[in-house]
Amino acid sequence: MSSPRWSAPVAHAPVDATVPLPGSKSMTNRALILAALAEAPTCITRPLHSRDTELMADALRALGSGIGEDAADWQVLPQRLAGPARVDVGLAGTVMRFLPPVAALASGEVSVDGDPRARERPMGPIIAALRALGAEIDDGGRDALPFTVRGSGSVAGGGVTIDASASSQLVSGLLLSAPRFDKGVEVRHEGPPVPSAPHLAMTVQMLRAAGAEVETRHDVWRVAPGPLRGGEVVIEPDLSNAAQFLGAALVTGGRVTVPDWPAETAQPGDALRGLLAAMGAEVTRGPDGLTVRGGDGFGGLDADLHEVGELTPVLAALAALAGSPSRLTGIAHLRGHETDRLAALVAEINGLGGDARELPDGLEIRPRPLRGGVFRTYDDHRMVMAAALLGLAVPGIEVENPGTVGKTLPNFTRQWASMLAPA
């Protein structure tokens, strides 16, 4: 259901704000899977509460997991997984790729479907992999949603080769459930490079923290069968959701601080430190968090974003406002995300008078004076964030369906307005 258009506010002065962020979606949904498969209860502290994470929690509840709330935290009590069940994955890549291996461990049928666009997203490799590992899946020959997993209560596991060049989630989905497979799993990737290596590192890190035995080498991941422990999992702030707030410091020549920025993290959003510095920002990390300061203008960016593709929409918006051209490459896989992000960014930037064009694996953006207009978001949360950043410098931008940002940051428009409010 669409929400009314949002008039993106213009910044009339440099921003000077501290912006706390909710928890990481990527960490929250991995923690929920591991907790549901653990042998003891788990407390997930400071999780993200958003459409994507609620979809994951509801999916696991449908399979029998006990997931309750204690204030803002989630308490997960492992239970026997069983169908029949119906699961809605929405448009969440983590749910559509992480949940089917869990469903294969359940006893009974689990029907899996999602939003219309979800039926177009790459699922063939994980369906084929699960079949090779011993699961029974009826997808009507589509290699896509909707499909039914006919679980027997166990999965044999073993070795499997897949092409995960469309999404690292195809590997992570298999690894997260692998400790519960009879033989564990060895996943071997064959094909173009797997995107978003930091997310795979996050999966491995969280598996090991839960007690799993994981070995990795180039394009091979091995997880041994064994128990997962419960306990407490503390979720870091979502660093990718910091992109537009930190970018506002560049656009307005101001200052934005994000508290609790971790000293070490597997989150792809940590790359913002180097990327924004390359555009001319002053970036420092201290006791108060990560602080970005802008000055009188900023330059374009020439960067390979293969590992951090989710940052592309905001970086493209910055590029459209920069003082020199930008070239963003390594991101052909974004054509299979919530929308075809490359085509969407070109259409919307050019619709405001900009000069953006698609490359075989990315975008080339040359700054031009922009004008107001409707910015379509294609049910993609990061398109809303890109539009908000453009709106700081371009009066009259009307953002279509801003409510889609609830996928990862439900209070975004309120936080955006708060950031711009005078101190």
Side-chain angles (χ1 to χ4, degrees), residues 161-194:
T161 299
I162 68 171
D163 178 355
S165 58
S167 174
S168 65
Q169 294 167 351
L170 299 166
V171 176
S172 288
L174 295 171
L175 300 184
L176 288 166
S177 292
R180 290 284 302 273
F181 293 177
D182 296 344
K183 302 175 187 175
V185 74
E186 180 179 283
V187 180
R188 182 180 301 272
H189 163 70
E190 288 187 359
V194 180

Side-chain angles (χ1 to χ4, degrees), residues 194-214:
V194 180
S196 197
H199 276 133
L200 277 173
M202 179 189 295
T203 297
V204 170
Q205 184 182 83
M206 293 184 71
L207 274 162
R208 287 174 174 160
E213 182 183 324
V214 187

